[in-house]
């Protein structure tokens, strides 16, 4: 860890304390996004697609404090995710990977992850070459979306040889659809975050999320980083799959030095999205563990992004807000929903990046 990374210790402490404050405020419900002025949370009863990030935050706090009460709280929250095992949604990757992987060797979390992996594997459509988005959250079922890839790739890869093959299939099919058949050619502006399958015309782009959606690039980079960390997965899929993943990683790496991007690149004067920056920082930390010439630069850039978030976007003492909030997250710019708020997944990826820098968690296993 660099001196800059070591200087982020107080931010990690504040973020972990914020987890405790949030837990007391939300009780058995799941936090979704918090008002930037006073930190009051909008919550859900079942967790929606973000429930795993709250469970993951509780596990990160338990590992940070070493307190048995924190561990019990994390385990209880993870158990409340169980109804999503049977839900028809590709966001089970987000829910069950990030809700259980930070638990380490916890038996209950491991068993739930294994059940979820088998369920997601059973939803794999070999003809389409992916796990469809599903209809559990409403809307059409036969979608391919970039946020269906992170979490799903490592979750499937842990489900034996069939799971590994399905993980590679799911990842490369989304790369085909979202980046085009030749991922070395497209520019960042042509990433297609979501497509709908029509029996007559095949896959067609969806207008929402838009091509400039900040989290589209971040989610896909995270999934590619996870695949590159596993030699068996990087080698699976089409011919020269590892080379393809390496080329895609280069394509998706942020062009700016230390970006906190616009929520929609087509609206540079609109809201920014700190959660996309936090996701990108974690992806870079993972890429820094992949042997190769870019490892050191990825580590440097990850720490720089985390440092920028800590300095400019995390609430501190004496501001009238609870300390440790990652502000300036944008849930949905087009709908004007929570456009400068604290987002539970932004908190999770910030906490994960900081925890990895300080040796609390092994980033290659989460």
């Amino acid at each position: 860890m660099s001196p800059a990374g070591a200087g982020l210790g107080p931010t990690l402490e504040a973020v972990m304390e914020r987890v405790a404050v949030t837990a007391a405020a939300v009780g058995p419900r799941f936090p979704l996004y918090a008002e930037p002025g006073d930190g009051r949370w909008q919550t859900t009863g079942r967790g929606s697609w973000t429930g795993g990030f709250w469970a993951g935050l509780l596990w990160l706090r338990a590992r940070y404090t070493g307190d048995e009460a924190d561990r019990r709280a994390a385990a209880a929250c993870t158990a409340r995710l169980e109804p999503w095992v049977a839900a028809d949604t590709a966001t089970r990757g987000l829910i069950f990977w990030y809700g259980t992987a930070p638990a380490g060797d916890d038996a209950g979390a491991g068993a739930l992850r294994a059940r979820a992996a088998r369920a997601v594997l059973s939803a794999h459509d070999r003809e389409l070459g992916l796990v469809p988005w599903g209809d559990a959250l409403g809307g059409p079922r036969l979608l391919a979306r970039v946020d269906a890839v992170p979490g799903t790739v490592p979750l499937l890869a842990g489900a034996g040889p069939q799971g590994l093959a399905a993980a590679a299939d799911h990842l490369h099919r989304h790369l085909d659809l979202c980046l085009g058949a030749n991922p070395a050619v497209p520019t960042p502006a042509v990433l297609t975050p979501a497509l709908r399958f029509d029996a007559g015309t095949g896959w067609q782009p969806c207008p929402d999320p838009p091509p400039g959606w900040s989290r589209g690039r971040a989610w896909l980079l995270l999934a590619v980083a996870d695949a590159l960390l596993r030699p068996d997965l990087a080698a699976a899929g089409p011919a020269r799959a590892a080379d393809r993943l390496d080329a895609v990683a280069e394509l998706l790496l942020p062009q700016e030095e230390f970006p906190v991007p616009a929520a929609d690149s087509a609206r540079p004067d609109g809201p920014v999205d700190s959660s996309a920056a936090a996701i990108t920082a974690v992806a870079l930390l993972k890429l820094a563990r992949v042997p190769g010439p870019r490892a050191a630069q990825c580590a440097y850039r990850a720490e720089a992004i985390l440092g920028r978030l800590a300095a400019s976007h995390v609430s501190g003492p004496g501001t009238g807000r609870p300390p440790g909030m990652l502000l300036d997250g944008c849930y949905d710019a087009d709908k004007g929903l929570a456009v400068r708020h604290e987002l539970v997944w932004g908190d999770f990826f910030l906490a994960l990046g900081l925890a990895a820098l300080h040796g609390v968690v092994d980033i290659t296993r989460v």
Side-chain angles (χ1 to χ4, degrees), residues 173-308:
R173 188 64 175 132
H174 277 84
L175 296 181
D176 291 341
L177 293 169
C178 298
L179 295 175
N182 184 354
V185 172
T187 64
V190 300
L191 185 147
T192 305
L195 302 96
R196 181 176 181 178
F197 183 77
D198 179 90
T201 59
W203 291 101
Q204 299 297 322
C206 297
D208 183 36
W213 184 43
S214 57
R215 290 198 298 280
R217 293 170 57 80
W219 285 133
L220 209 54
L221 181 64
L222 179 62
V224 169
D226 278 327
L228 286 170
L229 279 171
R230 289 191 57 148
D232 55 348
L233 181 52
R240 300 180 62 84
D243 291 342
R244 183 193 196 192
L245 293 177
D246 192 68
V248 169
E250 288 295 325
L251 175 70
L252 294 173
L253 284 170
Q255 304 302 306
E256 301 83 1
E257 186 68 8
F258 312 125
V260 176
D264 182 350
S265 62
R267 300 166 56 187
D269 296 330
V272 298
D273 185 9
S274 61
S275 76
I279 296 165
T280 299
V282 167
L284 287 166
L285 287 174
K286 290 172 178 282
L287 290 172
R289 270 61 170 188
V290 178
R294 69 169 169 239
Q297 181 66 9
C298 285
Y300 169 75
R301 295 183 72 177
E303 289 190 25
I305 293 171
L306 293 170
R308 172 70 66 86

Side-chain angles (χ1 to χ4, degrees), residues 100-125:
T100 63
D105 60 359
D106 181 81
L112 184 60
R113 181 168 61 250
R115 284 183 57 203
R118 291 192 296 270
V120 175
L121 178 58
S122 70
H124 177 242
D125 187 318

